Amino acid sequence: MNMKYNQIKIDYDELYKKIQKESYVDPNKELEYPPIAISKGSTGGPFDYPLHIATYGNFSFIQAPPKNKKTFFLCLMASVYLSDKNEFGKDILGKRENKKLIHYDTEQGEFHAQKTFNRIVKMAKTDKDYLPFALRKYSSKERLEFINWHLYKEKNIGFVIIDGIADLINDVNDIEASSDLVQYLMKWTQELNIHIMTVIHSNWNSDKPTGHLGSFLEKKTETQIALKNDSEDDSLVLVKCKRSRGYSFNDFAFRINSNNYPEVVGDLPSLVNGDPFINI
């Protein structure tokens, strides 16, 4: 039986006119710096300004070898964002303004994911506007499609955590898939004016994040953060701002305390000699 298929005709002229209108930026217009979601310290001086870790409309990523307490660092960032300020973050401040924090965990099973989510709530002393999801049992395609659907379905989002980004594609060395995934991050952050913080492993014995995905993240991110366990104290984690658009926050350290909560100890220059990230 012969079947006739209706082909969708794209009016490229109208499409490109739309892109032209949406993408044009007036070079003479005064634009404000993107609003801050999370900051640590300030520039000081007469024009004192907060040093951003994360701004709205951008994304950041954390890299570290396995078992270097990346999830604990996310707990610290999430608890500060939810509470605006707490005793664990010291001079790390959140600018939530009643926006929602969405947390997607792709790696842990429900039991361990719930422990992480509960730790954040206890540190922040609130679960208001905190929406956590455990996506480990789903395929990479299902995870990506769910996140894309959910971000546009939910209202009043401010901060999004994806732990970890590599689980949204099948192969971090697939150039096309990696590029497409980073394009999603750029699209979500700009269209929804949110900040996305995500996590990727470092290559073995290297300072590079894993695969082509890591390379694309490096090129497009606002802030690249590296973590490293202290060589002499397993409870101490060193935090380095490897790259940042604008002023970088000071490198610092946090400790896992007796209650199993991460808490900032202080800036690195006052804690260690030399460069503890020489191999990161």
Side-chain angles (χ1 to χ4, degrees):
M1 184 168 87
N2 291 329
M3 299 185 67
K4 212 175 204 182
Y5 293 94
N6 292 324
Q7 294 184 346
I8 299 174
K9 291 185 178 179
I10 299 174
D11 188 332
Y12 285 103
D13 189 58
E14 287 302 314
L15 173 62
Y16 296 145
K17 283 180 181 178
K18 180 174 181 290
I19 293 174
Q20 180 187 34
K21 182 178 179 180
E22 291 178 349
S23 63
Y24 177 75
V25 177
D26 183 351
N28 296 307
K29 184 179 179 181
E30 287 195 19
L31 296 177
E32 292 185 358
Y33 197 83
I36 289 175
I38 300 178
S39 66
K40 184 185 186 302
S42 63
T43 57
F47 302 103
D48 193 30
Y49 192 76
L51 293 172
H52 72 270
I53 293 178
T55 64
Y56 292 110
N58 286 298
F59 75 90
S60 57
F61 77 95
I62 302 150
Q63 67 166 91
K67 308 305 179 187
N68 271 243
K69 302 180 176 66
K70 296 182 290 296
T71 298
F72 278 100
F73 181 78
L74 288 176
C75 288
L76 183 61
M77 294 296 104
S79 73
V80 169
Y81 185 75
L82 282 175
S83 59
D84 288 340
K85 177 179 173 63
N86 61 37
E87 68 268 31
F88 305 103
K90 302 294 191 293
D91 63 341
I92 300 177
L93 304 176
K95 306 286 184 183
R96 186 163 74 89
E97 298 176 347
N98 296 315
K99 296 181 185 293
K100 294 174 184 173
L101 166 58
I102 300 182
H103 189 163
Y104 304 110
D105 188 300
T106 66
E107 296 184 342
Q108 302 181 104
E110 185 176 353
F111 175 81
H112 289 99
Q114 198 274 342
K115 284 184 68 175
T116 297
F117 304 150
N118 181 255
R119 182 182 297 117
I120 291 168
V121 168
K122 286 181 176 177
M123 291 173 66
K125 296 184 172 68
T126 182
D127 63 356
K128 186 176 186 298
D129 297 325
Y130 178 49
L131 303 176
F133 300 88
L135 303 179
R136 177 179 175 177
K137 67 180 180 181
Y138 302 102
S139 69
S140 57
K141 182 173 183 290
E142 288 172 327
R143 294 182 195 119
L144 178 59
E145 290 179 350
F146 168 73
I147 291 172
N148 185 57
W149 171 84
H150 185 231
L151 289 178
Y152 286 96
K153 192 79 171 175
E154 202 64 59
K155 304 297 181 185
N156 197 35
I157 305 169
F159 198 77
V160 176
I161 291 171
I162 303 176
D163 184 8
I165 192 70
D167 292 320
L168 302 189
I169 55 177
N170 287 326
D171 182 1
V172 295
N173 283 309
D174 184 320
I175 293 179
E176 185 175 355
S178 297
S179 176
D180 287 347
L181 179 52
V182 173
Q183 190 64 43
Y184 269 107
L185 294 177
M186 293 191 292
K187 179 175 183 286
W188 293 334
T189 50
Q190 181 168 332
E191 291 185 354
L192 299 172
N193 194 33
I194 59 178
H195 188 90
I196 296 177
M197 181 173 283
T198 191
V199 175
I200 190 168
H201 288 159
S202 295
N203 286 322
W204 178 254
N205 201 27
S206 167
D207 68 344
K208 296 291 186 183
T210 304
H212 288 303
L213 177 58
S215 298
F216 281 116
L217 287 170
E218 283 189 310
K219 292 173 185 174
K220 303 298 184 182
T221 190
E222 174 186 42
T223 311
Q224 180 180 355
I225 302 167
L227 306 184
K228 182 182 180 183
N229 288 338
D230 184 74
S231 58
E232 297 181 1
D233 183 350
D234 272 350
S235 72
L236 196 66
V237 184
L238 312 180
V239 182
K240 182 179 182 66
C241 182
K242 288 192 68 179
R243 289 178 179 83
S244 177
R245 299 188 191 278
Y247 288 104
S248 301
F249 62 84
N250 290 334
D251 299 343
F252 66 97
F254 70 90
R255 186 185 300 282
I256 310 304
N257 68 19
S258 58
N259 293 316
N260 213 29
Y261 295 156
E263 59 181 12
V264 172
V265 178
D267 289 349
L268 280 178
S270 64
L271 293 170
V272 296
N273 296 316
D275 184 0
F277 283 90
I278 197 162
N279 294 317
I280 280 286

